[in-house]
Amino acid sequence: HEPGLLGWDQLNELSRALGAEIIKRGFNLVSGFGIGIAEQTIIGAFRAVYESSKPQPAERVLIRPFPGSAPPERRAEIFRRHREDLISQVGALVVIAGNKVGSDGSVVLSSGVEEEVQIALRLGKPVIPVGMTGYVAQAVWEDAHEAPGRYLPGIDCKAELETLGNSTATVQEIVQAVSSLLIKAEQIASARCRDNPKSS
């Protein structure tokens, strides 16, 4: 709902750049197409798909919108299951901003994004917080900075976390830091599969 210190132009630029980088690096993007920056991330990903010199299946961008017609009394349960389904399909969760309008009209932390972080941790997925975007991402970054092994287990992430929490970092520096952590996470997952082929 609110772009924080970056402002909308830079936050949208960052979101599009991250979406494009995920595709260019050979990863897939999974999104629940929530309100806000998800649209920009998806735009960046699709641009990378269609601008690639090699044919790319559009399925590399998996969009599963949240069910807007969910009955109010079951909304929390349905949204939780939707989040669990999405996150079960990813290799890592990237957290950007995370805020919404509270009941009194003020900007508050997004409980949905907070739930997504907890689901990812429970499923053993690395969590990459872009702390300089504020809100939930900043809170998770602060925790990860203190206990990196909980959020990025087995990953040498000190330098990247410093960049992700730096309010003066450029869009390119942020994108490079996220990309580096995604690559490291994939290497660890691949090594685990080689060592335990039955678990893959």
Side-chain angles (χ1 to χ4, degrees):
H1 177 77
E2 204 278 324
L5 296 176
L6 287 180
W8 281 119
D9 287 347
Q10 194 171 7
L11 183 61
N12 287 340
E13 179 188 354
L14 171 61
S15 300
R16 290 191 297 271
L18 281 171
E21 181 73 3
I22 285 169
I23 297 301
K24 290 175 183 176
R25 288 288 181 177
F27 301 114
N28 298 331
L29 176 71
V30 177
S31 174
F33 206 0
I35 297 170
I37 58 176
E39 179 182 4
Q40 299 299 318
T41 310
I42 292 165
I43 288 171
F46 271 125
R47 282 180 180 170
V49 166
Y50 293 119
E51 291 174 2
S52 173
S53 58
K54 297 179 181 178
Q56 302 284 337
E59 291 76 16
R60 293 196 54 202
V61 183
L62 176 61
I63 304 171
R64 293 271 185 84
F66 281 86
S69 59
E73 67 276 10
R74 296 191 57 220
R75 182 182 175 93
E77 173 201 351
I78 291 171
F79 276 32
R80 175 183 53 75
R81 284 172 30 207
H82 190 74
R83 291 185 172 103
E84 289 173 341
D85 178 58
L86 287 173
I87 295 170
S88 70
Q89 301 181 60
V90 306
L93 177 72
V94 180
V95 185
I96 306 172
N99 63 71
K100 65 179 183 178
V101 179
S103 57
D104 62 353
S106 64
V107 177
V108 298
L109 299 183
S110 168
S111 54
V113 177
E114 290 175 325
E115 183 177 56
E116 288 162 6
V117 171
Q118 294 308 311
I119 291 169
L121 292 176
R122 189 170 73 247
L123 295 177
K125 310 287 186 176
V127 176
I128 302 172
V130 185
M132 51 89 75
T133 58
Y135 301 99
V136 174
Q138 181 178 351
V140 174
W141 179 87
E142 290 170 358
D143 286 347
H145 194 258
E146 293 298 317
R150 181 176 182 227
Y151 293 87
L152 294 156
I155 299 174
D156 177 11
C157 58
K158 183 177 180 180
E160 289 91 346
L161 278 179
E162 289 297 332
T163 299
L164 295 178
N166 182 356
S167 61
T168 64
T170 66
V171 165
Q172 189 56 39
E173 288 169 339
I174 292 294
V175 169
Q176 288 176 349
V178 172
S179 180
S180 174
L181 290 175
L182 288 172
I183 291 168
K184 289 179 179 181
E186 182 187 42
Q187 290 170 343
I188 289 175
S190 297
R192 191 179 300 127
C193 287
R194 286 195 303 270
D195 294 340
N196 301 287
K198 291 183 179 180
S199 67
S200 61

